[in-house]
Amino acid sequence: MTSFITYRREWSANPLREMLAGAVATFALIPEVIAFSFVAGVDPQVGLFASFVIGIVIAFTGGRPAMISAAAGSVALVVAPLVAAHGLPYLLAAGLLAGLIQIVFGLLRLGVLMRFVSKSVRTGFVNALAILIFAAQLPHILHGGWLNYAMIAAGLAVIYLVPRLTTAIPSPLICILVLTIGASVMNLPVLTIADLGHLPESLPVFSWLTVPLTLETLKIIAGPALAIAMVGLLESMMTASVVDDLTDTPSSKNRESTGLGIANVAASLFGGIAGCGMIGQTVSNVKYGGRGRLSTLFAGALLLVLMVLLKPWVSQVPVAALVAIMIMVSADTFDWSSLRSLVVHPKMSSVVMVATVIVTVLTANLALGVAVGVLLSGVFFTFKVARLLQVETTTDDAAGVLTYRVTGQVFFASADLFVDAFDIRDGEGLRVVIDLTQAHLWDITAVAALERVTQRFETHGIPVEVLGLNQASSTLIDSLGAAGEARTA
């Protein structure tokens, strides 16, 4: 019952606000989807059909309301070699297989892996994506002449000044209307959407795969399909996390994974490229009021209406208007406060954030950038925890006892520090006690280190006793059959 109420609430948000926000996201999608289609080596309608289908399907199946998903640049980069070598039919087969992998990922509830992505990595991801969004506009900015500069400047002026007068209609939509009407009335020689590529002339049609269903086909598409699935999942879940932060509401990463898989299966069967969450368009949608599933549904539906039914009008929209919108999206996406935080936050956190940005921007690979950030976060955290290990010694001459009190975590990264803290010479003529009351043994390396220490003392004829093992550490030692003298006191 609670789930039904939540689902109904996700659809019952302000309809007008949702549709207007979705419309802004749609216009922000058009130039990127067309550009990404060229990157992938397919006709623009393949990307546009995919974006329509994905938007419609994931509005119902996704786990993050107000999120915009479509044909994405990260996926385009992954599939380009497959398209060049084997053509569109194999791309559609790979997209379908990737969707099935994503469905399984969600059903196995592996969305929990997002917990391993630190705040620094998420910030780096967002900032890198903002830079890439802006970089994608540079060809349109730099090769258009003074008239193009003037159009972009006028578009930005409308976007940022109109909200001071009214917020009833999102300013990016007003920007598109003003610049389109102005260019048409004055017959200005500017680049339009029609100049970007062939737009669809009909509705997408369901079609089963045309590739042979053989083991050879599976060998060809398995690698690309896995790459599509992982990149798509990573970018979608990262985008969902960004929306969680922007709206202070939770989302289901597992449901988002399954929903994306269903959407990609559907897109492939309707002749479209696989896709994933689009952070720039999602931020734009949220910025202008999108909070529910209607904004996602309307964005997908409007895209098809614009591309097919309103094609003659949409074809005349100046690219400069769309560039102005994407510049605004880029500026809004970038976390400007993170620049000030670089000198305030711990150095390791800042290094992780900067490394994520640099790797992502240099490779244009969001998955690789996040992977590097997560790896660095893990390494830095390991070093930090390892340094917290402390071993203090006290000697009771009357009783002839040397006590080592261990505090902290003993695992693969701190095991050597643990071993080095024990000096055989200090225990000569005494009985050694190793007190692990304030310590925890985490893995086989820790158990081996304890066994190594005890054996070292015993080899030199020094009696040793291990005290204070907690239940988990004791169970680990017993299961490994090591450090036989170590028992919980």
Side-chain angles (χ1 to χ4, degrees):
M1 185 64 180
T2 303
S3 298
F4 174 76
I5 294 174
T6 300
Y7 193 74
R8 185 177 65 179
R9 183 169 60 245
E10 292 171 351
W11 281 102
S12 61
N14 187 315
L16 179 60
R17 183 191 66 189
E18 293 288 307
M19 289 189 290
L20 290 175
V24 173
T26 300
F27 279 101
L29 269 177
I30 294 173
E32 288 206 29
V33 170
I34 293 175
F36 295 157
S37 298
F38 283 117
V39 171
V42 298
D43 194 88
Q45 72 175 8
V46 175
L48 291 168
F49 280 163
S51 300
F52 157 69
V53 174
I54 292 172
I56 297 296
V57 173
I58 209 165
F60 296 94
T61 63
R64 174 62 265 180
M67 189 165 131
I68 304 298
S69 296
S74 54
V75 174
L77 291 170
V78 170
V79 304
L82 176 65
V83 175
H86 300 283
L88 179 61
Y90 283 86
L91 167 64
L92 301 182
L96 190 149
L97 180 57
L100 295 176
I101 293 173
Q102 291 167 336
I103 292 173
V104 172
F105 187 95
L107 293 178
L108 293 178
R109 308 185 69 81
L110 296 179
V112 69
L113 296 176
M114 275 299 295
R115 296 177 183 175
F116 294 98
V117 181
S118 67
K119 175 66 174 178
S120 299
V121 177
R122 295 182 187 182
T123 302
F125 170 84
V126 169
N127 289 347
L129 202 52
I131 294 172
L132 289 176
I133 291 172
F134 180 79
Q137 314 310 313
L138 289 178
H140 299 307
I141 296 174
L142 300 177
H143 299 97
W146 69 268
L147 180 58
N148 185 58
Y149 297 146
M151 291 284 285
I152 294 175
L156 289 171
V158 171
I159 289 172
Y160 285 107
L161 294 179
V162 165
R164 298 185 179 184
L165 303 176
T166 178
T167 57
I169 300 177
S171 59
L173 294 182
I174 298 177
C175 165
I176 291 172
L177 289 172
V178 170
L179 265 62
T180 301
I181 294 173
S184 298
V185 170
M186 292 185 283
N187 196 27
L188 299 177
V190 295
L191 190 71
T192 64
I193 289 180
D195 300 318
L196 295 179
H198 180 69
L199 300 180
E201 297 179 351
S202 61
L203 297 175
V205 178
F206 179 88
S207 176
W208 186 245
L209 300 179
T210 58
V211 298
L213 301 179
T214 63
L215 184 60
E216 184 63 28
T217 298
L218 181 61
K219 291 180 180 178
I220 293 173
I221 67 173
L226 183 60
I228 293 170
M230 292 301 102
V231 169
L233 286 170
L234 179 61
E235 190 163 350
S236 289
M237 288 193 288
M238 292 291 289
T239 301
S241 296
V242 171
V243 181
D244 292 349
D245 293 339
L246 289 175
T247 61
D248 293 324
T249 57
S251 62
S252 172
K253 305 301 186 297
N254 294 316
R255 181 176 174 182
E256 183 62 33
S257 301
T258 303
L260 178 63
I262 296 172
N264 279 333
V265 168
S268 299
L269 293 177
F270 278 91
I273 187 175
C276 61
M278 304 281 282
I279 191 169
Q281 288 71 20
T282 298
V283 170
S284 178
N285 181 42
V286 173
K287 175 182 173 62
Y288 288 100
R291 292 294 183 274
R293 297 179 180 274
L294 181 59
S295 61
T296 304
L297 178 65
F298 189 76
L302 180 61
L303 180 64
L304 187 68
V305 171
L306 292 175
M307 292 296 96
V308 179
L309 301 182
L310 301 180
K311 178 181 174 181
W313 181 83
V314 174
S315 298
Q316 301 307 310
V317 174
V319 172
L322 305 181
V323 170
I325 293 175
M326 295 313 297
I327 291 176
M328 177 272 295
V329 170
S330 174
D332 286 350
T333 301
F334 195 91
D335 185 353
W336 298 101
S337 64
S338 65
L339 297 179
R340 296 189 301 271
S341 299
L342 284 175
V343 296
V344 178
H345 286 173
K347 291 182 179 179
M348 289 185 179
S349 297
S350 297
V351 168
V352 169
M353 192 273 282
V354 173
T356 303
V357 171
I358 291 176
V359 173
T360 302
V361 171
L362 291 182
T363 64
N365 188 327
L366 295 167
L368 182 59
V370 172
V372 170
V374 170
L375 179 61
L376 285 177
S377 294
V379 171
F380 290 159
F381 175 76
T382 300
F383 284 153
K384 183 177 181 179
V385 174
R387 288 203 303 267
L388 296 178
L389 180 70
Q390 294 182 351
V391 180
E392 298 179 351
T393 62
T394 58
T395 304
D396 186 343
D397 294 325
V401 176
L402 171 63
T403 302
Y404 291 89
R405 288 185 175 84
V406 184
T407 303
Q409 313 303 312
V410 186
F411 62 115
F412 65 90
S414 62
D416 287 342
L417 296 175
F418 175 80
V419 173
D420 293 341
F422 298 88
D423 192 333
I424 301 299
R425 293 168 297 183
D426 294 339
E428 293 178 355
L430 299 173
R431 182 169 62 88
V432 172
V433 174
I434 302 176
D435 185 355
L436 298 174
T437 305
Q438 301 300 320
H440 186 90
L441 306 184
W442 284 98
D443 55 17
I444 187 173
T445 307
V447 174
L450 177 58
E451 183 178 24
R452 182 178 169 188
V453 169
T454 57
Q455 287 181 350
R456 183 182 294 178
F457 280 116
E458 291 170 351
T459 300
H460 288 78
I462 302 173
V464 58
E465 181 182 5
V466 178
L467 301 177
L469 277 171
N470 58 32
Q471 186 61 47
S473 299
S474 182
T475 301
L476 177 62
I477 290 174
D478 289 339
S479 66
L480 295 174
E485 297 299 319
R487 294 293 182 265
T488 304

